[in-house]
Amino acid sequence: MSFIVNKFKCKGITFFSLLHVTHYSSRFSTAAVASIEPKIPPDFSSCIVQDKDLLLKSLNPSGTGLHVLDLVDEGSLEPHPTLYHLLLKKCTFLRKPKLGKIVHAHISNSLFRGDVVILNTLLNMYAKGGCLDDARNLFDEMSVKDMVTWTTLITAYSQHDRPLDALLLFPQMLSLGFFPNEFTLSSLLKASAALPDTPQIYFHGAQLHGFSFKCGFHSNVYVGSSLLDMYARCGCMDEAHFVFDVLPTKNEVSWNALIAGHARKGQLDRALSLFLKMLRQDFQPTHFTFSSIFGACASTGSLEQGKWVHAHVIKSGGEIIAFMGNTLLHMYAKSGSIQDAKMIFDRLVKRDLVSWNSMLTAYAQHGLGKEAVQCFQKMLNIGLVPNDITFLCLLTACSRAGLLEEGQYYFKSMKRYNIEPGISHYVTIVDLLGRAGLLNEALRFINEMPIQPTAAVWGALLGACRMHKNVEMGSFAAERVFELDPHDSGPHVLLSNIYASSNRWRDAAKVRKLMKESGVKKEPACSWVEIQNTVHMFVASDDSHPQMGAIYKKWEEISARIKEIGYVPDTSHVLFYMDEQEREVKLQYHSEKLALAFALLNSPHGSTIRIKKNIRVCGDCHSAFKFVSKVVGREIIVRDTNRFHHFYDGSCSCGNFW
């Protein structure tokens, strides 16, 4: 491609109007092209500038910075609006705003400094290059603006995480008599959806919805897709469906927004139903579609549905690119299949820092500390620089695997990468020291922290005191938590556990009384298991399931068998004062045991059983599951709020360290 400038003579050679000569063979014959281009002696050939040389730097150190602009200043080329457009578009495409500033300076000294079309192109160059301050300065200096000017800056703010700035421009624009188009409204709605909290999103989004309706843009596919995405992001799925249903024309963006909304709310069934409907209507799912569904599968631990969607990706020939691959990896890890997570990681087309962090998180969730350390070292070996999240994942893995020395070493090494530890990093070190039984060292570490300890820090110490049955320090840590976060039921339950395990029933009763007086309610423990794409949920002493008679009978049978090989019920996990026999009976019908009995009744012999629980797994159930895995010869995977437990052949992957 080349361009030639009109009405200019370079030492007697006349040039034609500025035009692009490209794809000669498709439009002109070789002879025709030869007749278009002037016959220029070799020593004047520099007067024709090729497209590839548009951003060629000045040959003279005292030049403008760009050779083309030097030619203009020398009189070898005549300044022309198309020349500036070409230069700015090139800078925009290549993301080179520094060179664009050189063009800007040249325009400011030219006859076209007030040309709104050129200035809009310049504004777009700054916006696409992320130079929002430069874009705003230019915008404020422009004496003449049109709708493109306002839309360009609004879109720039919307796309670069400055939603409030975008929204503030809207009333200014209206007051000056400008009428928004569908692209303006779409960007404004995206900005409102990016606001930090739900009330703000709804407040601004609903007003924009009303304005769109008045202007007749509500049924436009771009505005409509942005509208339903806005409602979906603030959890208003009924409104999102209403907008979706009235759209006369739908596209992949509108389908993705609705699917993502249900996925964020953990409504996997609705997300999958929409996905199937999308396929039936011949819309092709994108990487964003798959990422949303994998995220929903991860939140519910739905391995079978996740595998089905993964199979669809493979059949459709889609590549496992970074961001979709990361959610797929996360889905397998959260669903209990660390082997599949590792397989996805190994097959990623390109691994970014998020990919490595996702793999470290997976190892941490499954208590595989040594594997996490090896993964971290491989990451360093290929030249990737860790961030604060990397270290948080690594320290968590060390804590859950009991790697005391490694955890302390990596915590200190954060300074080497100029990373200041955050409160979450301090929590992991308290947890690390506490799990290792170094309670005094953990308390000393808290007292020496350079930042004020939070409820989470004291909560980590309280959990360690529960593990090591240190009543005095546990009471002290609990008091600190109550002061900082009086409405969290977890610390109250932990302190009650500590008192109950030490037979201090009166103190345990006082804690429960305090909870009642303060209005603090304990989250009911429940467990669920997925069999043939159906989720079955259980609570302690449940009698609502249609198979409950068979479930109770199955557990009694299993309980008798594991007692024969050494299982002894740990009645210290019963928080109420009652005789030993009553406490043992109460233990036998915990939700995870009922879920296990149901799975044994309804899953194929030898298959892996996967159970999820909404709170920490009970210590007695943990002991019982080890014996059950040996008796039935099956792997049992339990996901609680802390981590995964893989029970197999009488042992657990956590090594009783959880």
Side-chain angles (χ1 to χ4, degrees):
M1 181 187 296
S2 62
F3 63 80
I4 312 169
V5 182
N6 185 32
K7 295 182 182 178
F8 171 70
K9 294 186 178 181
C10 178
K11 297 185 180 179
I13 304 298
T14 304
F15 293 94
F16 296 93
S17 61
L18 189 69
L19 58 90
H20 292 257
V21 184
T22 181
H23 302 299
Y24 296 147
S25 59
S26 62
R27 299 181 59 188
F28 308 106
S29 67
T30 305
V33 172
S35 66
I36 291 174
E37 293 195 6
K39 304 298 182 181
I40 304 172
D43 53 326
F44 302 128
S45 61
S46 62
C47 294
I48 297 180
V49 182
Q50 299 293 323
D51 180 74
K52 64 183 178 64
D53 296 327
L54 276 172
L55 298 184
L56 185 68
K57 292 185 179 179
S58 293
L59 304 179
N60 189 337
S62 61
T64 61
L66 288 175
H67 180 58
V68 170
L69 298 179
D70 292 343
L71 291 175
V72 173
D73 288 350
E74 293 167 4
S76 299
L77 283 177
E78 182 179 314
H80 194 281
T82 309
L83 172 62
Y84 290 124
H85 282 298
L86 286 171
L87 288 168
L88 290 171
K89 287 181 179 180
K90 194 81 169 178
C91 292
T92 304
F93 178 75
L94 297 175
R95 295 291 194 271
K96 291 189 174 182
K98 288 184 179 179
L99 295 180
K101 287 182 179 181
I102 296 173
V103 182
H104 183 183
H106 203 273
I107 292 170
S108 299
N109 294 317
S110 75
L111 296 173
F112 310 108
R113 55 184 172 273
D115 189 313
V116 70
V117 178
I118 291 178
L119 293 179
N120 284 342
T121 308
L122 181 58
L123 184 68
N124 182 60
M125 184 275 299
Y126 281 132
K128 294 286 176 59
C131 303
L132 297 192
D133 291 339
D134 293 306
R136 186 56 191 254
N137 290 336
L138 173 62
F139 177 86
D140 292 338
E141 291 170 1
M142 289 174 67
S143 57
V144 178
K145 301 180 180 71
D146 60 13
M147 201 56 239
V148 175
T149 314
W150 289 92
T151 301
T152 300
L153 190 60
I154 287 171
T155 303
Y157 281 137
S158 176
Q159 292 177 344
H160 288 87
D161 298 323
R162 290 176 60 174
L164 200 55
D165 289 322
L167 292 168
L168 288 172
L169 283 171
F170 186 51
Q172 296 176 37
M173 184 189 80
L174 293 177
S175 68
L176 293 171
F178 289 97
F179 190 80
N181 56 35
E182 65 267 35
F183 304 109
T184 320
L185 288 169
S186 179
S187 293
L188 286 165
L189 285 163
K190 287 176 184 176
S192 68
L195 289 168
D197 58 69
T198 299
Q200 285 190 66
I201 294 173
Y202 189 85
F203 175 76
H204 290 283
Q207 290 191 75
L208 286 167
H209 188 180
F211 189 90
S212 301
F213 191 85
K214 287 180 181 179
C215 299
F217 283 121
H218 63 287
S219 59
N220 177 274
V221 67
Y222 300 109
V223 176
S225 297
S226 299
L227 266 173
L228 73 90
D229 180 60
M230 178 275 297
Y231 281 123
R233 285 184 184 277
C234 60
C236 301
M237 295 311 299
D238 290 340
E239 289 87 341
H241 272 278
F242 174 79
V243 173
F244 181 82
D245 291 340
V246 299
L247 274 178
T249 304
K250 299 174 178 64
N251 59 13
E252 283 79 5
V253 176
S254 47
W255 282 98
N256 286 346
L258 200 58
I259 290 170
H262 285 295
R264 278 191 295 271
K265 291 175 73 72
Q267 298 170 343
L268 178 60
D269 289 346
R270 297 292 301 275
L272 283 174
S273 174
L274 283 166
F275 175 69
L276 290 171
K277 192 174 179 181
M278 178 184 184
L279 294 177
R280 285 196 294 269
Q281 295 190 20
D282 293 328
F283 286 95
Q284 291 303 312
T286 67
H287 293 114
F288 297 103
T289 321
F290 293 124
S291 292
S292 296
I293 295 176
F294 289 142
C297 292
S299 65
T300 57
S302 303
L303 182 63
E304 294 308 314
Q305 286 93 333
K307 282 185 173 180
W308 178 81
V309 178
H310 183 193
H312 186 87
V313 175
I314 295 171
K315 288 178 182 177
S316 62
E319 280 190 330
I320 307 297
I321 62 173
F323 74 91
M324 183 181 74
N326 296 336
T327 55
L328 180 57
L329 187 162
H330 182 62
M331 183 277 293
Y332 277 122
K334 288 283 284 183
S335 301
S337 183
I338 189 66
Q339 296 85 358
D340 286 320
K342 180 65 167 63
M343 177 191 70
I344 295 300
F345 178 76
D346 291 338
R347 293 181 180 179
L348 283 177
V349 176
K350 183 181 179 182
R351 299 175 200 157
D352 56 14
L353 185 58
V354 176
S355 309
W356 288 89
N357 287 349
S358 298
M359 196 65 233
L360 286 170
T361 301
Y363 284 135
Q365 289 170 339
H366 290 264
L368 301 173
K370 292 181 179 177
E371 288 82 352
V373 169
Q374 292 171 1
C375 180
F376 179 72
Q377 292 300 330
K378 287 179 182 177
M379 190 188 91
L380 295 182
N381 291 340
I382 64 170
L384 268 180
V385 179
N387 60 12
D388 58 329
I389 297 172
T390 312
F391 278 102
L392 181 59
C393 299
L394 182 62
L395 292 173
T396 302
C398 290
S399 173
R400 291 178 178 174
L403 302 179
L404 179 63
E405 292 182 4
E406 291 88 340
Q408 291 176 313
Y409 168 78
Y410 287 119
F411 180 74
K412 291 176 183 176
S413 70
M414 290 176 68
K415 293 180 181 178
R416 191 186 311 159
Y417 296 94
N418 298 317
I419 299 173
E420 193 68 30
I423 197 67
S424 298
H425 300 93
Y426 287 109
V427 170
T428 59
I429 296 300
V430 173
D431 190 55
L432 178 71
L433 294 168
R435 287 171 183 270
L438 304 174
L439 299 179
N440 291 325
E441 286 84 345
L443 182 59
R444 190 181 308 116
F445 179 83
I446 293 173
N447 291 329
E448 294 174 355
M449 281 171 51
I451 56 178
Q452 197 68 23
T454 63
V457 173
W458 290 110
L461 181 62
L462 176 59
C465 292
R466 164 70 178 93
M467 181 185 297
H468 297 287
K469 296 182 171 57
N470 189 316
V471 181
E472 287 71 25
M473 192 178 292
S475 301
F476 174 76
E479 290 298 327
R480 306 287 81 73
V481 178
F482 297 161
E483 291 171 4
L484 295 166
D485 189 4
H487 302 295
D488 185 2
S489 65
H492 292 82
V493 173
L494 277 176
L495 183 59
S496 182
N497 277 340
I498 293 173
Y499 286 138
S501 63
S502 301
N503 293 320
R504 291 173 57 170
W505 301 108
R506 186 170 296 175
D507 290 325
K510 286 180 181 177
V511 175
R512 292 197 299 274
K513 183 181 178 183
L514 176 64
M515 290 177 67
K516 187 175 182 180
E517 291 173 348
S518 304
V520 178
K521 294 184 179 180
K522 176 182 177 294
E523 183 181 5
C526 66
S527 300
W528 62 97
V529 62
E530 183 182 344
I531 303 291
Q532 294 181 349
N533 294 330
T534 302
V535 175
H536 300 262
M537 187 171 289
F538 301 89
V539 296
S541 303
D542 199 348
D543 60 0
S544 61
H545 197 280
Q547 294 186 42
M548 195 50 68
I551 292 169
Y552 273 54
K553 185 177 179 181
K554 183 66 175 178
W555 179 252
E556 288 166 4
E557 172 198 325
I558 292 295
S559 180
R561 290 176 64 186
I562 61 178
K563 284 178 181 177
E564 291 175 0
I565 62 171
Y567 164 66
V568 178
D570 185 355
T571 56
S572 68
H573 294 278
V574 178
L575 305 184
F576 300 95
Y577 181 75
M578 54 184 66
D579 65 43
E580 193 69 17
Q581 185 176 359
E582 288 177 313
R583 292 164 76 185
E584 183 175 332
V585 169
K586 193 169 184 67
L587 274 179
Q588 295 312 303
Y589 302 110
H590 278 191
S591 62
E592 55 264 60
K593 288 173 180 168
L594 298 179
L596 175 58
F598 173 78
L600 289 170
L601 283 170
N602 294 279
S603 59
H605 180 72
S607 63
T608 299
I609 295 172
R610 291 180 168 85
I611 298 171
K612 295 94 182 177
K613 189 176 181 182
N614 65 330
I615 61 174
R616 184 178 181 271
V617 67
C618 159
D620 176 72
C621 291
H622 188 272
S623 174
F625 277 32
K626 288 193 292 183
F627 286 101
V628 175
S629 68
K630 190 173 186 65
V631 165
V632 301
R634 295 169 71 171
E635 182 180 15
I636 304 165
I637 300 175
V638 178
R639 186 186 93 180
D640 68 8
T641 51
N642 284 355
R643 58 171 296 155
F644 279 91
H645 300 265
H646 295 254
F647 299 94
Y648 186 73
D649 196 28
S651 63
C652 178
S653 60
C654 73
N656 299 326
F657 197 85
W658 90 102

